[in-house]
Amino acid sequence: MEESEQVKIEEKIERLWSWGAGTDGQLGTGRLQDEQIPQQLSLSLPSVSSLACGGAHVIALTSDGKVLSWGRGNSGQLGHGEVVNNLLYPKAITSLDNYFITHVSAGWGHSGFVSDSGCLFTCGDGSFGQLGHGDYASHSSPIKVSSFVDQNVAQVACGMRHSLVLLKGCLSNQVYGFGSGKRGQLGVSKDKIKSINLPKVISGFEDEEIVGISANGDHSAALSVDGHLYTWGRGFKGYEDSHLPQCLNSTSKFTKVTLGWNHALAMTGEGKVYMLGGNHLGVLSDLHNARPAKSLFDSREANLEKAPGLDGTKITDIATGAEHSVLVTENGEIKTWGWGEHGQLGLGDDGDRISPVTVNLGYDLNEAASIRVYCGSGFTFALTKP
Amino acid sequence: MSYDDVEIEDMEWNEELQSYTYPCPCGDLFQITKEDLKLGEEIARCPSCSLYITVIYNMEDFTADSNKALQPSKQQPVTVA
């Protein structure tokens, strides 16, 4: 009797697994080493609602609006008010204790936090203006971005050297960009912009309500409430860079988009997954097969392909690292493919895969009501809830 | 196969490593020293994985007067607040 009660209590907790590159402590295992097999973490974390994974750091958001971070901290991206090479275990960001945080993002070396009151805070590397404070300084504690004090921020997305911000209830000026803009990732002007250190509005969404934004590498993306997918920044596999948001020419209605450094995954409401960037998507930029740069007038649809080997299996979540991809099937399986040198595919070796392969967590995921996956540059996290 | 072509102006000078660096998708940094650049080396390697990038630069910027060398963006000191 007591035993079964014990089991019931245990089933009520979130479970967290990590694998891949770990030499900055980003896996939360307490070790500074890569892991090729999923490691179940025994962290005493309060109820985690979501994670954000960056170049080599992780931010955990709890259901009561608190944030914790771990991993690389050499640019102040952990937000603890000090510069540390790495932090092996989650530590609460206490300077945000007076706020209820609702959204977080982790970039290559910077971090963004949004409060329920619509405030945006950023910390970490500011060398390219990606913190949005009007200078190129870096900060080791989250600082409120003053441009948005009278606005209602909903989401932040941090890329390699740039940031995007989505405002709530503000149809005319919804999305902003700042930081490095060399590849067009800011989307604020058709002219080449080296960098800007204050948020600037991105035009082109006047007739759309944007509900989601993403940034990774030098890519940017946005999703509208009607399921339209916009991308801008570095061109995918042989395509030209785009300095303004381009609506993907597709009849599918997308509900989630995630970006790598050379590819993207997009999921539809029916649980289908498409990828941008070519057949060998996620197995590094396939320069041998790269097509000559095409004009954007050539439909970007030609570059959109169904994720391979899924045979109509419905997908419930997606995530992309710099050069690998992860998805969750309706059957409660986690599948990975792409670059695997650091064990980021979790398949027990350092090999690459060209199509999705099931990861063995050593735990029956059918028991979990919710499985979410998150990727940093070269590592992966899975979060299950009962 | 080179992972990417990166212009030297997009690399950052890292004082600690005494190298120009650029983010590697594994999470570490591609690195190349001024001495390598002076010798005409154009491959920047990542110490943690098999990937490397091709650095696009003007060799004369490094072989001539070192004071005239290109000044890329430097990593800013972090304000500890």
Side-chain angles (χ1 to χ4, degrees):
Chain A
M1 195 68 186
E2 271 182 6
E3 254 181 23
S4 66
E5 269 172 18
Q6 186 80 32
V7 170
K8 268 183 194 162
I9 290 165
E10 217 170 79
E11 277 170 0
K12 280 185 182 156
I13 59 169
E14 287 88 14
R15 289 168 194 271
L16 206 51
W17 283 266
S18 66
W19 60 91
T23 49
D24 284 288
Q26 63 266 55
L27 297 183
T29 52
R31 298 184 292 271
L32 295 168
Q33 67 182 47
D34 296 357
E35 299 292 348
Q36 295 178 348
I37 292 172
Q39 304 292 307
Q40 188 172 348
L41 304 181
S42 52
L43 303 168
S44 52
L45 282 177
S47 168
V48 177
S49 58
S50 72
L51 297 176
C53 300
H57 71 293
V58 181
I59 306 166
L61 177 63
T62 72
S63 54
D64 59 350
K66 301 282 177 248
V67 276
L68 303 99
S69 63
W70 64 94
R72 189 192 292 158
N74 64 336
S75 300
Q77 61 267 58
L78 297 181
H80 300 304
E82 57 183 356
V83 174
V84 291
N85 278 335
N86 51 63
L87 188 62
L88 287 170
Y89 296 103
K91 185 177 170 185
I93 301 179
T94 50
S95 65
L96 292 173
D97 271 354
N98 292 331
Y99 297 90
F100 190 102
I101 302 300
T102 54
H103 193 262
V104 292
S105 180
W108 171 260
H110 71 297
S111 305
F113 311 85
V114 177
S115 71
D116 65 345
S117 50
C119 294
L120 171 67
F121 302 83
T122 57
C123 66
D125 187 6
S127 311
F128 297 86
Q130 65 267 52
L131 301 187
H133 300 304
D135 57 20
Y136 296 96
S138 298
H139 292 278
S140 62
S141 279
I143 308 282
K144 196 183 277 185
V145 178
S146 54
S147 300
F148 295 117
V149 285
D150 298 323
Q151 309 279 354
N152 207 351
V153 175
Q155 291 179 24
V156 58
C158 300
M160 185 194 287
R161 293 168 167 178
H162 75 294
S163 305
L164 303 176
V165 166
L166 174 65
L167 300 187
K168 267 185 266 211
C170 192
L171 276 181
S172 51
N173 297 307
Q174 302 172 77
V175 187
Y176 290 75
F178 45 95
S180 173
K182 210 179 162 192
R183 305 302 297 264
Q185 62 266 52
L186 298 183
V188 298
S189 159
K190 64 177 171 18
D191 301 318
K192 209 174 204 178
I193 289 175
K194 198 176 174 207
S195 66
I196 53 172
N197 56 29
L198 282 171
K200 198 170 174 196
V201 71
I202 302 174
S203 56
F205 301 123
E206 287 74 14
D207 303 320
E208 291 264 39
E209 183 187 348
I210 300 300
V211 292
I213 51 172
S214 312
N216 196 9
D218 295 327
H219 296 299
S220 298
L223 274 179
S224 78
V225 70
D226 296 322
H228 298 149
L229 170 57
Y230 291 83
T231 62
W232 62 102
R234 185 184 171 117
F236 291 105
K237 198 185 176 191
Y239 282 74
E240 278 181 353
D241 294 353
S242 171
H243 290 254
L244 294 171
Q246 303 287 326
C247 188
L248 196 82
N249 185 9
S250 168
T251 50
S252 298
K253 289 194 190 315
F254 297 102
T255 53
K256 182 166 183 175
V257 59
T258 64
L259 301 169
W261 286 15
N262 286 291
H263 75 290
L265 290 184
M267 187 167 79
T268 69
E270 296 87 48
K272 288 182 182 151
V273 172
Y274 294 85
M275 38 191 205
L276 271 168
N279 350 334
H280 289 272
L281 176 96
V283 189
L284 305 177
S285 57
D286 192 357
L287 293 179
H288 284 319
N289 297 325
R291 289 165 254 201
K294 284 189 179 179
S295 153
L296 281 166
F297 296 109
D298 287 324
S299 161
R300 281 198 161 199
E301 194 172 22
N303 205 18
L304 186 73
E305 296 166 25
K306 245 181 170 173
L310 294 174
D311 294 331
T313 309
K314 200 175 164 187
I315 303 306
T316 56
D317 196 24
I318 53 174
T320 44
E323 297 290 347
H324 72 291
S325 299
V326 184
L327 48 78
V328 181
T329 71
E330 60 178 341
N331 309 320
E333 287 181 308
I334 295 174
K335 289 173 180 276
T336 59
W337 76 107
W339 187 41
E341 186 170 344
H342 285 269
Q344 58 265 58
L345 304 184
L347 301 172
D349 60 43
D350 59 3
D352 303 341
R353 299 292 190 283
I354 57 167
S355 62
V357 177
T358 302
V359 177
N360 181 7
L361 294 191
Y363 173 75
D364 187 4
L365 288 180
N366 270 322
E367 302 287 319
S370 149
I371 307 168
R372 302 293 305 275
V373 283
Y374 306 89
C375 291
S377 288
F379 62 101
T380 311
F381 269 80
L383 170 66
T384 66
K385 290 181 199 185
Chain B
M1 187 173 60
S2 175
Y3 175 69
D4 202 358
D5 294 340
V6 176
E7 290 176 32
I8 190 78
E9 66 167 33
D10 290 327
M11 299 186 77
E12 293 180 86
W13 175 251
N14 185 307
E15 200 63 43
E16 197 183 326
L17 298 170
Q18 285 293 303
S19 295
Y20 289 93
T21 67
Y22 190 79
C24 174
C26 79
D28 206 338
L29 295 167
F30 293 113
Q31 305 172 14
I32 191 165
T33 64
K34 275 182 190 161
E35 288 65 39
D36 283 339
L37 293 166
K38 270 182 200 163
L39 294 169
E41 176 63 57
E42 55 179 24
I43 298 299
R45 294 181 191 281
C46 172
S48 298
C49 71
S50 64
L51 302 183
Y52 57 88
I53 54 170
T54 305
V55 182
I56 302 186
Y57 70 107
N58 196 344
M59 204 173 137
E60 289 136 34
D61 291 340
F62 291 88
T63 48
D65 186 353
S66 61
N67 290 331
K68 280 186 193 164
L70 204 65
Q71 294 288 322
S73 53
K74 275 188 185 171
Q75 190 100 30
Q76 297 284 320
V78 181
T79 311
V80 177

